[in-house]
Each structure stands twice: as C-alpha cells, then as structure tokens.
Amino acid sequence: MSRASLQADLANAQARNTRLGARVQQLEKRLSQVLGTQAWQESGLGAPADIDELQRKITRLEQRNVELASALEEARSGLDAARAANRDLTRALNQRG
C-alpha cells in the first residue's frame, strides 16, 4: 500500500465518519420530534391535522437534505481520492521519463 492510497483511505474513512455523525444527529432529532408529537397528541392537545402534515413534510425534507448532503460529501471524497491517485500516477510517469 502506498502512502497516497492510505491517505485516500483515511480521507474516505473521515468522510464516512462525518456522514454517520450527521445521520445520528438527524435520527436523534427525528426521534425527539416523534416522541414529542406522540406525547402532545396523547395529552389531547394535539395540533390540527394540517399542521401535523406540514410538520411531517418538514421532517421528510430535512431528511432528504441530510441524504443529499451525505451523497455530496461522498462524491467529494471520491473525487479527492481520484485526484490524489491521478497526481500519484502523473508523478510516477514524470519520474520515468
């Protein structure tokens, strides 16, 4: 394994860690919202249905935003790894010739 490939692996692992951290935060927020909504509804003080639907839509859109941000981060990470590999290959070719 070359130093560049190990660095690319490290960068990918760090990006994955970042994505997983964001996902955990999103899931914790979602759980909190669901539990809060459930307690609110069970108390008999629940909001009208249209507000509930808007809250669900907000939650879905926030989740989609997190998914898109994760996909973007993953694509950037892959691009960074590809750039690093390209630099290494170019450097190796230049050293030969």
Side-chain angles (χ1 to χ4, degrees):
M1 295 211 123
S2 71
R3 179 178 174 89
S5 68
L6 290 174
Q7 287 175 328
D9 288 346
L10 177 59
N12 287 334
Q14 289 171 333
R16 178 170 162 63
N17 189 29
T18 300
R19 288 191 307 274
L20 289 173
R23 181 69 173 152
V24 165
Q25 286 180 343
Q26 187 266 336
L27 289 172
E28 287 173 342
K29 181 178 178 181
R30 176 87 192 273
L31 178 60
S32 175
Q33 289 172 341
V34 168
L35 291 175
T37 300
Q38 182 181 2
W40 181 256
Q41 289 173 344
E42 288 176 2
S43 73
L45 301 172
D50 58 340
I51 293 175
D52 286 340
E53 180 55 36
L54 289 174
Q55 288 294 339
R56 285 192 292 275
K57 185 172 185 175
I58 288 169
T59 301
R60 286 192 305 271
L61 291 173
E62 286 174 341
Q63 182 176 357
R64 181 66 177 147
N65 189 36
V66 168
E67 291 168 358
L68 290 172
S70 294
L72 176 60
E73 182 60 36
E74 189 171 328
R76 282 183 179 158
S77 181
L79 179 59
D80 289 343
R83 284 179 176 159
N86 189 31
R87 279 193 301 273
D88 291 342
L89 290 172
T90 302
R91 195 174 302 123
L93 287 173
N94 287 338
Q95 288 175 354
R96 277 197 231 164

Coordinates of all heavy atoms in Angstrom, one line a residue:
M1 N 0.8 -1.2 0.0 CA 0.0 0.0 0.0 C 0.9 1.2 0.0 O 1.8 1.3 0.8 CB -0.9 0.0 1.2 CG -1.9 -1.1 1.3 SD -3.3 -0.4 2.2 CE -4.6 -0.7 1.0
S2 N 0.6 2.1 -0.9 CA 1.3 3.4 -0.9 C 0.8 4.4 0.1 O -0.3 4.3 0.6 CB 1.2 4.0 -2.3 OG -0.1 4.5 -2.6
R3 N 1.6 5.4 0.4 CA 1.2 6.4 1.3 C -0.1 7.1 0.7 O -1.0 7.4 1.5 CB 2.3 7.4 1.4 CG 2.0 8.6 2.4 CD 3.2 9.5 2.5 NE 2.9 10.7 3.3 CZ 3.0 10.8 4.6 NH1 3.4 9.8 5.3 NH2 2.7 11.9 5.2
A4 N -0.1 7.4 -0.6 CA -1.3 8.0 -1.2 C -2.5 7.2 -1.0 O -3.6 7.8 -0.7 CB -1.0 8.3 -2.6
S5 N -2.4 5.9 -1.2 CA -3.7 5.1 -1.0 C -4.1 5.1 0.4 O -5.3 5.1 0.7 CB -3.4 3.7 -1.6 OG -2.5 3.0 -0.8
L6 N -3.2 5.0 1.3 CA -3.5 5.1 2.8 C -4.2 6.4 3.1 O -5.1 6.5 3.9 CB -2.3 4.9 3.6 CG -1.7 3.4 3.6 CD1 -0.4 3.4 4.4 CD2 -2.7 2.4 4.2
Q7 N -3.6 7.5 2.5 CA -4.2 8.8 2.8 C -5.6 8.9 2.2 O -6.5 9.5 2.8 CB -3.3 9.9 2.2 CG -2.1 10.2 3.0 CD -1.2 11.2 2.4 OE1 -1.1 11.3 1.1 NE2 -0.4 11.9 3.2
A8 N -5.8 8.3 1.0 CA -7.1 8.3 0.4 C -8.1 7.5 1.3 O -9.3 7.9 1.5 CB -7.1 7.7 -1.0
D9 N -7.6 6.3 1.8 CA -8.5 5.5 2.7 C -8.8 6.3 3.9 O -10.0 6.3 4.4 CB -7.8 4.2 3.0 CG -7.7 3.2 1.9 OD1 -8.4 3.4 0.9 OD2 -6.9 2.3 2.0
L10 N -7.9 7.0 4.5 CA -8.1 7.8 5.7 C -9.1 8.9 5.4 O -10.1 9.1 6.2 CB -6.8 8.4 6.2 CG -6.9 9.4 7.4 CD1 -7.6 8.6 8.6 CD2 -5.6 10.0 7.8
A11 N -9.0 9.6 4.3 CA -9.9 10.7 3.9 C -11.3 10.1 3.7 O -12.3 10.7 4.1 CB -9.5 11.3 2.6
N12 N -11.4 8.9 3.1 CA -12.7 8.3 2.9 C -13.3 7.9 4.3 O -14.5 8.0 4.5 CB -12.6 7.1 2.0 CG -12.4 7.4 0.5 OD1 -12.8 8.5 0.1 ND2 -11.8 6.6 -0.2
A13 N -12.5 7.4 5.2 CA -13.0 7.0 6.5 C -13.5 8.2 7.3 O -14.5 8.2 8.0 CB -11.9 6.2 7.3
Q14 N -12.7 9.3 7.2 CA -13.1 10.5 7.8 C -14.4 11.1 7.3 O -15.3 11.5 8.0 CB -12.0 11.6 7.8 CG -10.8 11.2 8.6 CD -9.6 12.1 8.3 OE1 -9.5 12.7 7.3 NE2 -8.8 12.3 9.3
A15 N -14.6 11.0 6.0 CA -15.8 11.5 5.3 C -17.0 10.6 5.8 O -18.1 11.1 6.1 CB -15.7 11.5 3.8
R16 N -16.8 9.3 5.8 CA -17.8 8.4 6.3 C -18.2 8.7 7.7 O -19.4 8.7 8.1 CB -17.4 6.9 6.1 CG -18.4 5.9 6.6 CD -18.0 4.5 6.2 NE -18.6 3.4 6.9 CZ -19.9 3.1 6.9 NH1 -20.7 3.9 6.3 NH2 -20.3 2.1 7.6
N17 N -17.2 9.0 8.6 CA -17.5 9.3 10.0 C -18.3 10.6 10.0 O -19.2 10.6 10.9 CB -16.1 9.5 10.7 CG -16.3 9.6 12.2 OD1 -17.3 9.1 12.8 ND2 -15.4 10.3 12.8
T18 N -18.0 11.5 9.2 CA -18.7 12.8 9.2 C -20.2 12.5 8.8 O -21.1 13.0 9.4 CB -18.1 13.8 8.2 OG1 -16.8 14.1 8.7 CG2 -18.9 15.1 8.1
R19 N -20.4 11.7 7.7 CA -21.7 11.4 7.3 C -22.5 10.6 8.4 O -23.7 10.9 8.6 CB -21.7 10.5 6.0 CG -21.2 11.3 4.8 CD -21.4 10.5 3.5 NE -20.8 9.2 3.6 CZ -19.6 8.9 3.2 NH1 -18.8 9.8 2.9 NH2 -19.1 7.6 3.3
L20 N -21.9 9.7 9.0 CA -22.5 8.9 10.1 C -22.9 9.8 11.2 O -24.0 9.7 11.8 CB -21.7 7.8 10.5 CG -21.5 6.6 9.5 CD1 -20.5 5.6 10.0 CD2 -22.8 6.0 9.2
G21 N -22.0 10.8 11.6 CA -22.3 11.7 12.7 C -23.5 12.5 12.3 O -24.4 12.8 13.2
A22 N -23.6 13.0 11.1 CA -24.8 13.8 10.6 C -26.0 13.0 10.7 O -27.1 13.5 11.1 CB -24.5 14.4 9.2
R23 N -25.9 11.7 10.3 CA -27.1 10.8 10.3 C -27.6 10.6 11.7 O -28.8 10.6 11.9 CB -26.7 9.5 9.5 CG -27.8 8.5 9.5 CD -28.9 9.0 8.5 NE -29.9 7.9 8.4 CZ -31.2 8.1 8.1 NH1 -31.6 9.4 7.9 NH2 -32.0 7.1 8.0
V24 N -26.6 10.4 12.6 CA -27.0 10.1 14.0 C -27.8 11.4 14.5 O -28.8 11.2 15.2 CB -25.8 9.8 14.9 CG1 -26.1 9.9 16.4 CG2 -25.3 8.4 14.6
Q25 N -27.2 12.6 14.3 CA -27.9 13.8 14.7 C -29.3 13.9 14.1 O -30.2 14.3 14.8 CB -27.1 15.0 14.4 CG -25.8 15.2 15.2 CD -25.0 16.4 14.8 OE1 -25.2 17.0 13.7 NE2 -24.1 16.9 15.7
Q26 N -29.4 13.6 12.9 CA -30.7 13.7 12.2 C -31.7 12.7 12.8 O -32.8 13.0 13.1 CB -30.5 13.4 10.7 CG -31.8 13.6 9.9 CD -32.6 12.4 9.6 OE1 -32.0 11.3 9.7 NE2 -33.8 12.5 9.4
L27 N -31.2 11.4 13.1 CA -32.1 10.4 13.7 C -32.5 10.8 15.1 O -33.6 10.6 15.5 CB -31.4 9.1 13.7 CG -31.3 8.4 12.3 CD1 -30.4 7.2 12.3 CD2 -32.7 8.2 11.7
E28 N -31.5 11.4 15.9 CA -31.9 11.8 17.2 C -32.9 12.9 17.2 O -33.9 12.9 18.0 CB -30.6 12.3 17.9 CG -29.6 11.2 18.4 CD -28.3 11.7 18.9 OE1 -28.0 12.9 18.7 OE2 -27.6 10.9 19.6
K29 N -32.8 13.9 16.3 CA -33.7 14.9 16.2 C -35.1 14.4 15.8 O -36.1 14.8 16.3 CB -33.3 15.9 15.1 CG -34.2 17.1 14.9 CD -33.6 18.1 13.9 CE -34.6 19.2 13.7 NZ -34.1 20.2 12.7
R30 N -35.1 13.4 14.8 CA -36.3 12.8 14.4 C -37.0 12.1 15.5 O -38.2 12.2 15.7 CB -36.1 11.9 13.2 CG -37.2 11.1 12.7 CD -38.0 11.9 11.7 NE -39.3 11.3 11.4 CZ -39.5 10.4 10.5 NH1 -38.5 9.9 9.8 NH2 -40.7 9.9 10.3
L31 N -36.2 11.3 16.3 CA -36.8 10.6 17.4 C -37.4 11.6 18.4 O -38.5 11.3 18.9 CB -35.7 9.7 18.1 CG -36.1 9.0 19.3 CD1 -37.3 8.0 19.0 CD2 -34.9 8.2 19.9
S32 N -36.7 12.6 18.7 CA -37.2 13.6 19.6 C -38.5 14.2 19.1 O -39.5 14.4 19.9 CB -36.2 14.7 19.8 OG -36.7 15.8 20.6
Q33 N -38.6 14.5 17.9 CA -39.8 15.1 17.3 C -41.0 14.1 17.4 O -42.1 14.4 17.7 CB -39.6 15.5 15.8 CG -38.7 16.7 15.7 CD -38.4 16.9 14.2 OE1 -38.5 16.1 13.4 NE2 -37.9 18.2 13.9
V34 N -40.7 12.8 17.1 CA -41.7 11.8 17.1 C -42.3 11.6 18.5 O -43.5 11.5 18.7 CB -41.2 10.5 16.5 CG1 -42.2 9.3 16.7 CG2 -41.0 10.6 15.0
L35 N -41.3 11.5 19.5 CA -41.7 11.3 20.8 C -42.5 12.5 21.4 O -43.5 12.4 22.1 CB -40.5 11.0 21.7 CG -39.8 9.7 21.5 CD1 -38.6 9.6 22.4 CD2 -40.8 8.5 21.8
G36 N -42.1 13.7 21.0 CA -42.8 14.9 21.4 C -44.2 15.0 20.8 O -45.1 15.3 21.5
T37 N -44.3 14.7 19.5 CA -45.6 14.7 18.9 C -46.5 13.6 19.5 O -47.7 13.9 19.7 CB -45.4 14.4 17.4 OG1 -44.6 15.4 16.8 CG2 -46.7 14.3 16.6
Q38 N -46.0 12.5 19.8 CA -46.8 11.4 20.4 C -47.3 11.9 21.8 O -48.5 11.7 22.1 CB -46.0 10.1 20.6 CG -46.7 9.0 21.2 CD -45.9 7.8 21.3 OE1 -44.7 7.8 21.0 NE2 -46.4 6.7 21.8
A39 N -46.4 12.5 22.6 CA -46.8 12.9 23.9 C -47.8 14.1 23.8 O -48.8 14.1 24.5 CB -45.6 13.4 24.7
W40 N -47.6 14.9 22.8 CA -48.6 16.0 22.6 C -50.0 15.5 22.2 O -51.0 16.0 22.7 CB -48.0 17.0 21.5 CG -48.8 18.1 21.2 CD1 -49.6 18.3 20.1 CD2 -49.0 19.3 21.9 NE1 -50.2 19.5 20.1 CE2 -49.9 20.2 21.2 CE3 -48.4 19.8 23.1 CZ2 -50.2 21.5 21.7 CZ3 -48.8 21.0 23.6 CH2 -49.7 21.9 22.9
Q41 N -50.0 14.6 21.3 CA -51.3 14.0 20.8 C -51.9 13.2 21.9 O -53.2 13.3 22.1 CB -51.0 13.1 19.6 CG -50.7 13.9 18.4 CD -50.3 13.0 17.2 OE1 -50.0 11.9 17.3 NE2 -50.3 13.6 16.0
E42 N -51.2 12.5 22.7 CA -51.8 11.7 23.8 C -52.3 12.6 24.9 O -53.2 12.2 25.7 CB -50.7 10.7 24.4 CG -50.5 9.5 23.4 CD -49.4 8.6 23.9 OE1 -48.9 8.8 25.0 OE2 -49.0 7.7 23.2
S43 N -51.8 13.8 25.0 CA -52.3 14.7 26.0 C -53.7 15.3 25.7 O -54.3 15.9 26.5 CB -51.3 15.9 26.2 OG -51.3 16.8 25.1
G44 N -54.1 15.1 24.4 CA -55.3 15.6 23.9 C -55.2 17.1 23.5 O -56.2 17.7 23.1
L45 N -54.0 17.6 23.4 CA -53.8 19.0 23.0 C -53.2 19.0 21.6 O -52.6 20.1 21.2 CB -52.9 19.7 24.0 CG -53.4 19.8 25.4 CD1 -52.3 20.3 26.3 CD2 -54.7 20.6 25.5
G46 N -53.2 17.9 20.9 CA -52.6 17.8 19.6 C -53.0 18.9 18.6 O -54.1 19.5 18.7
A47 N -52.1 19.3 17.7 CA -52.3 20.3 16.7 C -53.3 19.8 15.6 O -53.4 18.6 15.4 CB -51.0 20.7 16.1
P48 N -53.9 20.7 14.9 CA -54.8 20.3 13.8 C -54.0 19.5 12.8 O -52.8 19.6 12.6 CB -55.3 21.6 13.2 CG -55.1 22.6 14.3 CD -53.9 22.1 15.1
A49 N -54.8 18.7 12.0 CA -54.2 17.8 11.0 C -53.3 18.5 10.0 O -52.2 18.0 9.6 CB -55.2 17.0 10.3
D50 N -53.7 19.7 9.6 CA -52.9 20.4 8.5 C -51.5 20.8 9.1 O -50.5 20.7 8.4 CB -53.6 21.6 8.0 CG -54.0 22.6 9.0 OD1 -54.1 22.3 10.2 OD2 -54.2 23.8 8.6
I51 N -51.4 21.2 10.3 CA -50.1 21.5 10.9 C -49.3 20.2 11.1 O -48.1 20.2 10.8 CB -50.3 22.2 12.3 CG1 -50.9 23.6 12.0 CG2 -49.0 22.3 13.0 CD1 -51.3 24.4 13.3
D52 N -49.9 19.1 11.5 CA -49.2 17.9 11.6 C -48.7 17.4 10.2 O -47.5 17.0 10.2 CB -50.2 16.8 12.1 CG -50.5 16.9 13.6 OD1 -49.7 17.6 14.3 OD2 -51.4 16.3 14.0
E53 N -49.4 17.6 9.2 CA -48.9 17.2 7.8 C -47.8 18.1 7.4 O -46.8 17.6 6.8 CB -50.1 17.3 6.8 CG -49.6 17.0 5.4 CD -49.0 15.6 5.3 OE1 -49.4 14.7 6.0 OE2 -48.1 15.5 4.4
L54 N -47.8 19.4 7.7 CA -46.7 20.3 7.4 C -45.5 19.9 8.2 O -44.3 19.9 7.7 CB -47.1 21.7 7.7 CG -48.1 22.4 6.8 CD1 -48.5 23.7 7.3 CD2 -47.6 22.4 5.3
Q55 N -45.6 19.5 9.5 CA -44.5 19.1 10.3 C -43.9 17.8 9.7 O -42.7 17.7 9.6 CB -44.9 18.8 11.7 CG -45.2 20.1 12.5 CD -44.0 20.9 12.7 OE1 -42.8 20.5 12.6 NE2 -44.2 22.2 12.9
R56 N -44.7 16.9 9.2 CA -44.2 15.6 8.6 C -43.5 16.0 7.3 O -42.4 15.4 7.0 CB -45.3 14.7 8.3 CG -45.8 13.9 9.6 CD -46.7 12.8 9.2 NE -48.0 13.2 8.7 CZ -49.1 13.6 9.4 NH1 -49.0 13.6 10.7 NH2 -50.2 14.0 8.8
K57 N -44.0 16.9 6.5 CA -43.3 17.3 5.3 C -42.0 18.0 5.6 O -41.0 17.7 4.9 CB -44.2 18.3 4.5 CG -43.6 18.7 3.1 CD -44.6 19.5 2.3 CE -44.0 19.7 0.9 NZ -44.9 20.4 0.0
I58 N -41.9 18.8 6.6 CA -40.7 19.4 7.0 C -39.6 18.3 7.4 O -38.5 18.4 7.0 CB -40.9 20.4 8.2 CG1 -41.6 21.7 7.7 CG2 -39.5 20.8 8.8 CD1 -42.1 22.6 8.8
T59 N -40.1 17.4 8.1 CA -39.2 16.3 8.6 C -38.7 15.5 7.3 O -37.5 15.2 7.3 CB -40.0 15.3 9.5 OG1 -40.4 16.1 10.7 CG2 -39.1 14.2 10.0
R60 N -39.6 15.2 6.4 CA -39.2 14.5 5.2 C -38.1 15.3 4.4 O -37.2 14.8 3.9 CB -40.4 14.2 4.3 CG -41.2 13.0 4.8 CD -42.2 12.6 3.8 NE -43.1 13.6 3.2 CZ -44.3 14.0 3.8 NH1 -44.7 13.4 4.8 NH2 -45.0 15.0 3.2
L61 N -38.4 16.6 4.3 CA -37.5 17.5 3.5 C -36.1 17.6 4.2 O -35.1 17.6 3.6 CB -38.1 18.9 3.3 CG -39.3 18.9 2.3 CD1 -39.9 20.3 2.3 CD2 -38.9 18.5 0.9
E62 N -36.2 17.7 5.6 CA -34.9 17.7 6.3 C -34.1 16.4 6.1 O -32.9 16.5 6.0 CB -35.2 18.0 7.8 CG -35.6 19.4 8.1 CD -36.0 19.6 9.6 OE1 -36.3 18.6 10.2 OE2 -36.0 20.8 10.0
Q63 N -34.8 15.3 6.1 CA -34.2 14.0 5.9 C -33.5 14.0 4.5 O -32.4 13.5 4.4 CB -35.1 12.9 6.2 CG -34.5 11.5 6.0 CD -35.5 10.4 6.3 OE1 -36.6 10.6 6.7 NE2 -35.1 9.2 6.1
R64 N -34.3 14.4 3.6 CA -33.8 14.4 2.2 C -32.6 15.3 2.1 O -31.6 15.0 1.4 CB -34.9 14.9 1.2 CG -34.5 14.9 -0.2 CD -34.2 13.5 -0.7 NE -33.9 13.6 -2.2 CZ -33.1 12.8 -2.8 NH1 -32.5 11.8 -2.1 NH2 -32.8 12.9 -4.0
N65 N -32.6 16.4 2.8 CA -31.4 17.4 2.8 C -30.2 16.7 3.3 O -29.1 16.8 2.8 CB -31.8 18.6 3.6 CG -30.7 19.7 3.4 OD1 -30.2 19.9 2.4 ND2 -30.5 20.4 4.5
V66 N -30.4 15.9 4.4 CA -29.3 15.2 5.0 C -28.7 14.2 4.1 O -27.5 14.0 3.9 CB -29.7 14.6 6.4 CG1 -28.6 13.6 6.9 CG2 -29.9 15.6 7.4
E67 N -29.6 13.4 3.4 CA -29.2 12.4 2.4 C -28.5 13.0 1.3 O -27.4 12.5 0.9 CB -30.5 11.7 1.9 CG -31.1 10.8 3.0 CD -32.5 10.3 2.5 OE1 -33.0 10.7 1.4 OE2 -33.1 9.6 3.3
L68 N -28.9 14.2 0.8 CA -28.2 14.8 -0.3 C -26.9 15.4 0.1 O -25.9 15.3 -0.7 CB -29.1 16.0 -0.9 CG -30.4 15.5 -1.7 CD1 -31.2 16.7 -2.0 CD2 -30.0 14.7 -2.9
A69 N -26.8 15.9 1.3 CA -25.5 16.4 1.8 C -24.5 15.2 2.0 O -23.4 15.4 1.6 CB -25.7 17.1 3.2
S70 N -25.0 14.1 2.4 CA -24.2 12.9 2.6 C -23.7 12.4 1.2 O -22.5 12.1 1.0 CB -24.9 11.8 3.3 OG -25.2 12.1 4.6
A71 N -24.6 12.4 0.2 CA -24.2 12.0 -1.1 C -23.2 12.9 -1.7 O -22.2 12.5 -2.4 CB -25.4 11.9 -2.0
L72 N -23.4 14.2 -1.5 CA -22.4 15.2 -2.0 C -21.0 15.0 -1.3 O -20.0 15.0 -2.0 CB -22.9 16.6 -1.7 CG -22.0 17.8 -2.1 CD1 -21.7 17.7 -3.6 CD2 -22.6 19.1 -1.7
E73 N -21.0 14.8 0.0 CA -19.8 14.6 0.7 C -19.1 13.3 0.2 O -17.9 13.3 0.0 CB -20.0 14.5 2.2 CG -18.8 14.3 3.0 CD -17.8 15.4 2.9 OE1 -18.2 16.6 2.8 OE2 -16.6 15.1 2.9
E74 N -19.9 12.3 -0.1 CA -19.3 11.0 -0.6 C -18.7 11.2 -2.0 O -17.6 10.8 -2.3 CB -20.4 10.0 -0.6 CG -19.8 8.6 -0.9 CD -20.9 7.5 -0.7 OE1 -21.8 7.7 0.1 OE2 -20.8 6.5 -1.5
A75 N -19.4 12.0 -2.8 CA -18.9 12.3 -4.1 C -17.6 13.1 -4.1 O -16.7 12.9 -4.8 CB -20.0 13.0 -5.0
R76 N -17.6 14.1 -3.2 CA -16.4 14.9 -3.0 C -15.2 14.1 -2.5 O -14.1 14.2 -3.0 CB -16.6 16.0 -2.0 CG -17.4 17.2 -2.6 CD -17.6 18.3 -1.6 NE -18.3 19.4 -2.1 CZ -19.0 20.3 -1.5 NH1 -19.0 20.2 -0.1 NH2 -19.6 21.3 -2.1
S77 N -15.5 13.2 -1.6 CA -14.5 12.3 -1.1 C -13.9 11.4 -2.2 O -12.7 11.2 -2.3 CB -15.0 11.4 0.1 OG -14.1 10.6 0.6
G78 N -14.8 10.9 -3.0 CA -14.3 10.0 -4.1 C -13.5 10.9 -5.1 O -12.5 10.4 -5.6
L79 N -13.9 12.1 -5.4 CA -13.2 12.9 -6.3 C -11.8 13.3 -5.7 O -10.8 13.3 -6.4 CB -14.0 14.2 -6.5 CG -13.4 15.3 -7.4 CD1 -13.1 14.7 -8.8 CD2 -14.3 16.5 -7.5
D80 N -11.8 13.5 -4.4 CA -10.5 13.8 -3.8 C -9.5 12.6 -3.9 O -8.4 12.8 -4.2 CB -10.6 14.2 -2.3 CG -11.3 15.6 -2.1 OD1 -11.3 16.4 -3.1 OD2 -11.8 15.8 -1.0
A81 N -10.1 11.4 -3.7 CA -9.3 10.2 -3.8 C -8.8 10.0 -5.2 O -7.6 9.6 -5.5 CB -10.1 9.0 -3.3
A82 N -9.7 10.3 -6.2 CA -9.3 10.1 -7.6 C -8.3 11.1 -8.0 O -7.3 10.8 -8.7 CB -10.5 10.3 -8.5
R83 N -8.4 12.3 -7.5 CA -7.4 13.4 -7.8 C -6.0 13.0 -7.2 O -5.0 13.2 -7.8 CB -7.8 14.7 -7.2 CG -8.9 15.4 -8.0 CD -9.3 16.7 -7.4 NE -10.3 17.4 -8.2 CZ -11.1 18.3 -7.8 NH1 -11.1 18.7 -6.5 NH2 -12.0 18.9 -8.6
A84 N -6.0 12.5 -6.0 CA -4.8 12.0 -5.3 C -4.1 10.9 -6.1 O -2.9 10.9 -6.4 CB -5.0 11.6 -3.9
A85 N -4.9 9.9 -6.6 CA -4.4 8.8 -7.4 C -3.9 9.4 -8.7 O -2.8 8.9 -9.2 CB -5.5 7.8 -7.6
N86 N -4.6 10.3 -9.3 CA -4.1 10.9 -10.6 C -2.8 11.6 -10.4 O -1.9 11.5 -11.2 CB -5.2 11.9 -11.1 CG -4.9 12.3 -12.5 OD1 -4.3 11.6 -13.3 ND2 -5.3 13.5 -12.8
R87 N -2.7 12.4 -9.3 CA -1.4 13.1 -9.0 C -0.3 12.1 -8.9 O 0.8 12.3 -9.4 CB -1.5 13.9 -7.8 CG -2.2 15.3 -8.0 CD -2.0 16.2 -6.8 NE -2.5 15.6 -5.5 CZ -3.8 15.8 -5.1 NH1 -4.7 16.4 -5.9 NH2 -4.2 15.2 -4.0
D88 N -0.5 11.0 -8.1 CA 0.5 10.0 -7.9 C 0.9 9.3 -9.3 O 2.1 9.1 -9.5 CB 0.0 8.9 -7.0 CG -0.1 9.4 -5.5 OD1 0.5 10.5 -5.2 OD2 -0.8 8.8 -4.7
L89 N -0.1 9.0 -10.1 CA 0.2 8.4 -11.4 C 1.0 9.4 -12.3 O 2.0 9.0 -12.9 CB -1.1 7.9 -12.1 CG -1.8 6.8 -11.4 CD1 -3.1 6.5 -12.1 CD2 -0.9 5.5 -11.6
T90 N 0.6 10.6 -12.3 CA 1.3 11.6 -13.1 C 2.7 11.8 -12.6 O 3.7 11.8 -13.4 CB 0.6 12.9 -13.0 OG1 -0.8 12.8 -13.5 CG2 1.2 14.0 -13.9
R91 N 2.9 11.8 -11.3 CA 4.2 12.0 -10.7 C 5.1 10.7 -11.1 O 6.3 10.9 -11.5 CB 4.1 12.1 -9.2 CG 5.4 12.6 -8.5 CD 5.2 12.8 -7.0 NE 4.1 13.8 -6.8 CZ 3.1 13.6 -6.0 NH1 2.9 12.4 -5.4 NH2 2.2 14.5 -5.8
A92 N 4.5 9.5 -11.0 CA 5.3 8.3 -11.4 C 5.6 8.3 -12.8 O 6.8 8.0 -13.2 CB 4.4 7.1 -11.0
L93 N 4.7 8.8 -13.7 CA 5.0 8.8 -15.1 C 6.1 9.9 -15.4 O 7.0 9.6 -16.3 CB 3.8 9.2 -15.9 CG 2.8 8.0 -16.1 CD1 1.5 8.5 -16.7 CD2 3.3 6.9 -16.9
N94 N 6.1 11.0 -14.7 CA 7.1 12.0 -15.0 C 8.5 11.6 -14.5 O 9.5 12.0 -15.0 CB 6.6 13.3 -14.3 CG 5.5 14.0 -15.0 OD1 5.3 13.8 -16.1 ND2 4.7 14.8 -14.2
Q95 N 8.5 10.8 -13.4 CA 9.8 10.3 -12.9 C 10.4 9.3 -13.8 O 11.6 9.2 -13.9 CB 9.6 9.7 -11.5 CG 9.3 10.8 -10.5 CD 9.0 10.2 -9.1 OE1 8.9 9.0 -9.0 NE2 8.9 11.0 -8.1
R96 N 9.6 8.6 -14.6 CA 10.2 7.6 -15.5 C 10.8 8.3 -16.7 O 11.7 7.8 -17.3 CB 9.0 6.7 -16.0 CG 8.8 5.6 -15.1 CD 8.0 4.5 -15.8 NE 6.8 4.2 -15.1 CZ 5.8 3.5 -15.6 NH1 5.7 3.2 -16.8 NH2 4.8 3.2 -14.8
G97 N 10.1 9.3 -17.2 CA 10.5 9.9 -18.5 C 11.2 11.2 -18.2 O 11.9 11.8 -18.8

